[in-house]
Amino acid sequence: MKRNIPKVALFGTSADPPSNGHKKIIKELSKIYNLVISYASDNPSKKHSEDLYFRSLLLKTLINDFKNPNIFFDQDLSSPWAISSIKKCKKKYNFINIDFVIGSDLLEEILVWKDINELFKEANLFIIPRIDYPIKEKSLKIIEELNGKFKISLFKIPKISSSNIRENINYSGLPKCLIPIIKKNNLYS
């Protein structure tokens, strides 16, 4: 008997703060994958405006707002190192195959991530094109030379970035469910 293997997307993000762009990504991933697992993490190459506790609270709130049992939040998977999160996920859920989701803004940076060769053995990439961050053929060739496998998303996300929201806290790029938490805790002010 053939075992049904779920298609799993692992989406780690700084979520500083989670935006309508994050919301769209998660929604679109849920149309492609059987399971979408997300967590907030500290990116070692970024300076974060809010601590991980609040960023994870915001992302969890966003995910709970979907009310979709195939989209879930698991902060236990969080690590500054993608390879650690991938390994934790595979071990905890006994998954064989995982697609690790990244935006095209990270394509150049990923090539110097910790244990990148091991990451390519453990997971495939699912690359989401972002406006203003074109996917360079050179980066894709390097990934292939390192035996990395990838798919490029066909869906488009709005031109919204967390950094723009932080610089301009008028709440326009934020999911509505997050605004009360941000106001109550005086975040991003």
Side-chain angles (χ1 to χ4, degrees), residues 27 62 97 188:
K27 180 179 179 182
L62 173 62
N97 299 314
Y188 304 104

Side-chain angles (χ1 to χ4, degrees), residues 21 24-25 102-107 127-136 152-164:
K24 171 86 172 174
I25 289 168
I102 65 167
S104 60
D105 55 312
L106 296 177
L107 261 184
I127 303 166
I128 299 175
R130 288 191 57 187
I131 296 171
D132 296 336
Y133 296 94
I135 296 175
K136 296 179 182 167
I152 299 173
S153 163
L154 298 177
F155 63 80
K156 305 276 188 248
I157 57 169
K159 186 178 177 174
I160 298 171
S161 74
S162 295
S163 53
N164 287 348

Side-chain angles (χ1 to χ4, degrees), residues 38-114:
S38 192
Y39 59 91
S41 65
D42 286 327
N43 181 332
S45 67
K46 290 183 178 177
K47 184 181 182 318
H48 302 289
S49 295
E50 299 296 343
D51 70 27
L52 188 56
Y53 170 80
F54 283 113
R55 292 183 284 123
S56 64
L57 173 65
L58 292 169
L59 185 59
K60 181 178 182 179
T61 301
L62 173 62
I63 288 170
N64 288 342
D65 197 52
F66 280 104
K67 296 174 181 56
N68 180 335
N70 297 328
I71 301 172
F72 60 98
F73 176 80
D74 188 345
Q75 191 57 23
D76 292 340
L77 303 179
S78 181
S79 168
W81 314 113
I83 186 62
S84 298
S85 296
I86 291 166
K87 285 183 169 186
K88 286 182 196 179
C89 183
K90 289 177 88 170
K91 182 176 181 182
K92 181 173 184 176
Y93 297 105
N94 199 25
F95 292 142
I96 298 167
N97 299 314
I98 292 178
D99 283 357
F100 189 71
V101 179
I102 65 167
S104 60
D105 55 312
L106 296 177
L107 261 184
E108 308 244 337
E109 178 185 310
I110 193 174
L111 299 173
V112 295
W113 281 6
K114 180 180 179 184

